[in-house]
Amino acid sequence: GSPEGGGSNESDRQRDAALRPKLLREVIGQKKVANRLQIAVNAAKKLKEPLGHILFDGPPGLGKTTFATVLPNELGSSIQMTSGPALSKPADMLPFLTNLEYGSILFIDEIHRMPRVVEEFIYPAMEDFRIDIVLGEGVNARTINMKLKPFTLIGATTRSGMLSGPMRDRFKMQEHLDYYTIDELAQIVSINAKKLALPMAPEAAVELAQRSRGTPRVANSRLYWVRSYHAGHPAIADGPVTLDISRQALDMQEVDRDGLDKQDRRYLETLIDVFGGGPTGVEAIAATMNIASDTLTDEIEPYLLREQFIVRSPRGRIATPRAFELLGKSQPKPNGG
Ligand code: ADP
């Protein structure tokens, strides 16, 4: 994914790690999810049992990894991290499974991209904390049963719909993360500005929040840009980041005033200019934009749907009056005019 869409690249990942909350009470927003997790943590500690397996789903950059990394701090346990695409065969799981400690966490990002064979291999690990390892091949093959330390599997996915039913059922908690309010994002920006020792006016933090498409990762990446812009201008670098400075910095990066980014706009332009506003299948939009349709459905569309720039219909995507208005286009009459 791209930083614009909320997906992450290498520098994003380093920033994410630097700015990530360490404890549940430092996590902003997602209150219901945080409260349920707090109860589960308290119960696990009190009952001296490992936490049940947890699945987080939601668009990129909303805090799935954050929640996963906060939990071992709360529990006083350790975490190992891997991802679906890195696990191409059952043997790829072995180093992680054999390194488990009692109550430790195994985090699998993009768990929907784990192949079926690996998925089936970890069912008994999740259910009974044991695995069946097949040694040798053909008539010489034998199965060894290995016991594991009781542990917690945490899965993260941008598409819970792509996870098989049996896999989903093995998670005790399934938590959906949603986009953040401006208020919550502004809090995150202010806290992170402090972490970066960057003095910032509250209005400047709100401005950043409004232009971060509901996504903390995007807000962080905007914050880093504003910080560079501020530091790179000797005339202003000594004072705090004001509303004006944050506006100039974001305008320079061509970040929309209404929070959409370049890809969001391109999507709406394609839907309206090429397809007359729809209905159009997502594959056609993806092919025209020369972008993977997964990126559209996982990263771009969820925000446009939520903000009601588009709607989904059985015949495809349709641009709403709001989208036409945003692009300054008039909407064609329903009967061809
Ligand atoms: P995901 O795993 O869903 O793609 P991350 O957990 O990596 O997203 O979140 C990206 C960054 O956004 C984190 O490093 C953190 O700085 C920030 N972030 C995400 N959620 C929150 C939150 N609820 N409170 C504070 N910061 C957050």
Side-chain angles (χ1 to χ4, degrees), residues 6-8 12-21 26-30 56-69 107 109 156-158 177 180 184 187-188 191-192 195 215-220:
S8 62
D12 269 343
R13 268 190 281 279
Q14 284 164 8
R15 290 168 189 176
D16 284 352
L19 297 180
R20 209 162 253 147
E26 296 169 11
V27 170
I28 309 295
Q30 313 287 353
F56 290 111
D57 80 88
L62 294 192
K64 299 183 293 296
T65 312
T66 299
F67 274 116
T69 51
F107 176 65
D109 201 5
T157 178
T158 44
L177 301 189
Y180 291 68
E184 291 163 350
Q187 274 186 61
I188 295 176
I191 290 168
N192 290 347
K195 284 188 189 168
T215 308
R217 176 176 294 135
V218 175
N220 284 346

Side-chain angles (χ1 to χ4, degrees), residues 252-279:
M252 191 171 170
Q253 269 219 331
E254 298 174 59
V255 174
D256 244 275
R257 294 256 162 145
D258 33 51
L260 300 188
D261 63 30
K262 283 179 225 153
Q263 281 197 334
D264 295 323
R265 252 179 188 275
R266 248 191 93 212
Y267 179 100
L268 295 177
E269 280 163 6
T270 306
L271 182 55
I272 287 175
D273 294 343
V274 183
F275 297 103

